């Protein structure tokens, strides 16, 4: 579904991504783990067209994304749940969800998708008219995921969904990610909580200073001594 090949990204003189290559197959949860500054968010931003690459190839559903604008990338079926949620704080919950569906013309199916979001996140239905900026952190994360689901993504990029959440809510969010995947959405997950990420992913890649240093089935990497020492507290 997604193929990244030889990707290089610079911020000025800083070589942020160094010749990285990986792929995501349809139906998978694939996770990128690594320390702060390893290049995880830059990778997602490059895929979704927000950060230009110096060289390399990104293909989604066998179509090159070179020169494709971020809004066209969403139309192709690639949605992103951004780091820090990035909800529209001054709009209501409903207006945020409407923004997620703004590119869609299939009005009947959009209605059905609202119901799907409300079934998954009953708290959002209770707070439809509430200003999104007044929601709790967990509710804002649910809204960010719900808003992306409204664009009907085939592949969902998720950037640090557990950031700043209490442990109980982290568990809930990861259960939701598993449900979304079981419902047919492929997921590329960037996550600081390596333990949780590896527990739900099919495969994983470890990024260090802009390079992929390890890859393999998530269960195997969770047992890898190097990974355990660096990311799983021994």
């Amino acid at each position: 579904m997604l193929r990244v090949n030889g990707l290089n990204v610079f911020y000025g003189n800083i070589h942020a991504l160094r010749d990285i290559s990986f792929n995501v197959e349809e139906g998978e949860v694939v996770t990128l783990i690594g320390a702060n500054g390893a290049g995880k968010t830059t990778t997602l931003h490059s895929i979704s067209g927000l950060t230009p690459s110096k060289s390399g190839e990104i293909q989604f559903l066998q179509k090159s994304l070179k020169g494709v604008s971020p809004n066209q990338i969403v139309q192709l079926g690639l949605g992103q749940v951004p780091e820090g949620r990035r909800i529209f704080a001054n709009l209501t919950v409903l207006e945020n969800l409407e923004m997620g569906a703004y590119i869609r013309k299939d009005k009947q199916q959009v209605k059905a998708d609202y119901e799907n979001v409300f079934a998954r996140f009953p708290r959002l239905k209770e707070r439809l008219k509430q200003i999104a900026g007044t929601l709790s952190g967990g509710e804002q994360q649910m809204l960010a995921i719900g808003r992306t689901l409204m664009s009907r993504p085939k592949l969902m990029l998720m950037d640090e969904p557990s950031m700043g959440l209490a442990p109980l809510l982290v568990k809930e969010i990861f259960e939701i990610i598993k449900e979304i995947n079981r419902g047919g959405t492929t997921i590329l997950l960037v996550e600081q909580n390596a333990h949780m990420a590896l527990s739900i992913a099919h495969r994983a890649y470890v990024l260090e200073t802009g390079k992929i240093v390890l890859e393999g089935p998530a269960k195997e990497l969770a047992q890898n001594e190097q990974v355990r020492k660096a990311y799983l507290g021994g």
Side-chain angles (χ1 to χ4, degrees):
M1 182 174 264
L2 178 74
R3 188 172 299 283
V4 175
N5 190 31
L7 193 65
N8 285 279
V9 173
F10 287 80
Y11 293 120
N13 293 325
I14 297 165
H15 198 168
L17 294 182
R18 299 166 179 268
D19 207 32
I20 72 166
S21 299
F22 67 93
N23 59 72
V24 179
E25 304 296 339
E26 189 172 349
E28 285 190 309
V29 177
V30 173
T31 186
L32 303 178
I33 62 172
N36 272 337
K40 304 185 303 294
T41 294
T42 299
T43 302
L44 294 193
H45 282 187
S46 299
I47 294 165
S48 55
L50 298 170
T51 299
S53 58
K54 179 90 171 171
S55 62
E57 173 85 325
I58 301 169
Q59 283 190 342
F60 177 57
L61 297 172
Q62 299 180 326
K63 176 184 168 66
S64 171
L65 297 185
K66 201 168 188 64
V68 182
S69 67
N71 62 305
Q72 288 172 314
I73 288 172
V74 173
Q75 286 173 319
L76 290 173
L78 203 155
Q80 181 159 347
V81 182
E83 182 181 6
R85 297 151 205 155
R86 303 286 180 92
I87 55 160
F88 300 104
N90 58 336
L91 300 182
T92 65
V93 167
L94 179 60
E95 287 165 340
N96 268 270
L97 294 174
E98 285 171 346
M99 290 298 283
Y102 83 98
I103 57 168
R104 293 178 55 187
K105 306 284 187 280
D106 52 336
K107 294 289 182 264
Q108 283 309 109
Q109 192 55 55
V110 167
K111 274 186 188 170
D113 284 346
Y114 280 126
E115 292 311 315
N116 291 338
V117 168
F118 298 147
R120 192 162 270 140
F121 304 113
R123 273 179 273 180
L124 296 184
K125 189 169 188 180
E126 292 163 15
R127 291 159 171 70
L128 271 188
K129 297 285 192 286
Q130 193 169 323
I131 296 298
T134 66
L135 297 174
S136 70
E139 288 162 353
Q140 288 187 17
Q141 186 62 64
M142 291 172 192
L143 179 57
I145 295 170
R147 180 181 62 186
T148 303
L149 285 172
M150 288 305 301
S151 71
R152 277 236 146 169
K154 297 180 179 80
L155 171 63
M156 188 185 270
L157 310 179
M158 304 191 85
D159 197 352
E160 303 286 6
S162 78
M163 186 186 276
L165 300 184
L168 265 179
L169 272 173
V170 171
K171 218 169 169 191
E172 191 178 340
I173 290 294
F174 274 88
E175 280 303 317
I176 288 161
I177 295 168
K178 282 198 317 200
E179 274 176 40
I180 291 167
N181 177 243
R182 280 196 293 262
T185 305
T186 306
I187 292 170
L188 177 59
L189 171 68
V190 154
E191 180 53 63
Q192 281 264 247
N193 188 333
H195 177 73
M196 289 299 284
L198 291 171
S199 76
I200 68 161
H202 299 95
R203 293 188 303 110
Y205 295 86
V206 179
L207 270 173
E208 282 180 12
T209 57
K211 289 199 301 210
I212 290 173
V213 294
L214 279 171
E215 61 182 271
K219 283 193 174 111
E220 281 181 24
L221 285 189
Q223 299 304 318
N224 179 292
E225 198 176 333
Q226 195 181 333
V227 173
R228 289 175 77 87
K229 277 185 180 162
Y231 307 110
L232 303 175

